[in-house]
Amino acid sequence: MSLPDTVPDPLDTLSAETPRVWKFWGTSLWGVLIFVALFMGQGAVIAAMLFSSGATDLSSFAEALGSALTGGKTLSLSIMTGLPAVLAAIWIATRVARQPFVDYLALRWPSWKWILIGVVSLAVLVESWDLLSKSLGREVMPSFMIDTLKAAQADNTLWLLVLAVAVAAPITEELFVRGFLYRGWSESFLRPVGAIVLSSAVWTLMHLQYDWFFLGQVFTIGLLLGYLRYRTNSTWLTVIIHGLNNFAALVQTYWLASFT
């Protein structure tokens, strides 16, 4: 009986089967792919709306695009279709890393104590920004949010907007940013503090529809969510706090819209 020319190294076999965590570059590259998946998932709805509009020239195409981007129904559906695209992309990344999806993203239920801490901390932070906004003579809510809410009311899809903004968006963004990105970056040379700052910066860049003032608010909320993720090792906590923040913003927008 002949022996194989080469004998497999047991350490190589173990290394090939051992679960891993994507570090800085691995997390960054997968993050780009996940963002592309998010863009394609959300863009599919807008593309479908444009196709069904029957636009035949540049002028009608631009008009249809503007209507799609400001329509409550289209915006809501695009946000919701981004969720399965992101889930699929993250699942592939964790599968390649040979890690359970739930464990890699720290999908653990937080204690009620930390939920309360998160809610109170968020309320103090948001109220501080509102007071600063009023002292500077600025609007406390971007005008495009009021326009979007009114558009949703006009086509009777306000319930869909609430579901998209207060449920789908927080799950999508938190699993991507505080779940996947934070996990890999926190175990790289960045360590937790660097991961909190960088993931908050990425999250802020995902909200470029706001001006510089509201981007500052988004960044500080990101820092809070990152801290909560670090202290509790629970991404579900950041999903809950994020969802409550978005729901409160919708309620505030609805109240402001009723006076404009």
Side-chain angles (χ1 to χ4, degrees):
M1 178 174 144
S2 60
L3 295 174
D5 294 336
T6 58
V7 178
D9 187 341
L11 292 179
D12 291 340
T13 303
L14 180 61
S15 176
E17 298 176 353
T18 301
R20 63 184 299 182
V21 174
W22 301 109
K23 303 298 183 178
F24 178 79
W25 288 113
T27 298
S28 300
L29 292 174
W30 275 109
V32 172
L33 294 177
I34 294 168
F35 182 79
V36 169
L38 171 63
F39 179 81
M40 293 179 65
Q42 294 182 340
V45 172
I46 298 176
M49 293 293 183
L50 290 176
F51 180 79
S52 63
S53 69
T56 57
D57 53 51
L58 185 60
S59 177
S60 59
F61 180 84
E63 183 180 352
L65 179 61
S67 177
L69 293 177
T70 57
K73 181 180 179 180
T74 304
L75 177 62
S76 301
L77 290 176
S78 66
I79 292 174
M80 296 178 73
T81 53
L83 176 56
V86 167
L87 290 177
I90 295 178
W91 183 85
I92 294 173
T94 57
R95 182 72 174 178
V96 174
R98 303 178 186 87
Q99 288 264 23
F101 182 87
V102 171
D103 292 342
Y104 198 97
L105 300 185
L107 296 177
R108 303 176 179 87
W109 190 257
S111 67
W112 288 106
K113 170 188 172 182
W114 275 103
I115 292 177
L116 178 60
I117 291 175
V119 170
V120 173
S121 300
L122 176 69
V124 171
L125 179 60
V126 171
E127 182 60 26
S128 298
W129 276 99
D130 283 352
L131 291 175
L132 177 60
S133 179
K134 292 175 181 178
S135 67
L136 296 175
R138 295 178 50 89
E139 56 185 5
V140 296
M141 192 63 60
S143 58
F144 79 87
M145 290 186 62
I146 297 178
D147 295 338
T148 300
L149 187 140
K150 287 183 175 180
Q153 286 179 304
D155 54 20
N156 296 316
T157 57
L158 182 57
W159 64 273
L160 188 62
L161 182 65
V162 173
L163 186 62
V165 173
V167 179
I171 295 176
T172 301
E173 295 174 14
E174 291 307 314
L175 264 58
F176 175 36
V177 178
R178 252 69 61 172
F180 185 80
L181 295 182
Y182 173 84
R183 173 66 189 274
W185 285 341
S186 66
E187 297 191 27
S188 71
F189 64 89
L190 290 176
R191 312 309 299 167
V193 173
I196 290 173
V197 174
L198 184 56
S199 62
S200 298
V202 170
W203 188 55
T204 302
L205 291 175
M206 294 172 65
H207 295 80
L208 290 180
Q209 67 269 30
Y210 299 117
D211 64 19
W212 64 269
F213 184 86
F214 289 110
L215 287 177
Q217 182 176 358
V218 170
F219 181 71
T220 57
I221 294 176
L223 293 178
L224 172 62
L225 294 174
Y227 174 75
L228 294 174
R229 167 69 170 85
Y230 163 69
R231 284 300 306 270
T232 65
N233 196 29
S234 171
T235 305
W236 277 130
L237 174 60
T238 66
V239 170
I240 293 170
I241 302 303
H242 189 161
L244 290 174
N245 175 73
N246 287 9
F247 181 75
L250 282 174
V251 172
Q252 185 179 26
T253 303
Y254 182 84
W255 184 79
L256 291 174
S258 63
F259 294 97
T260 58

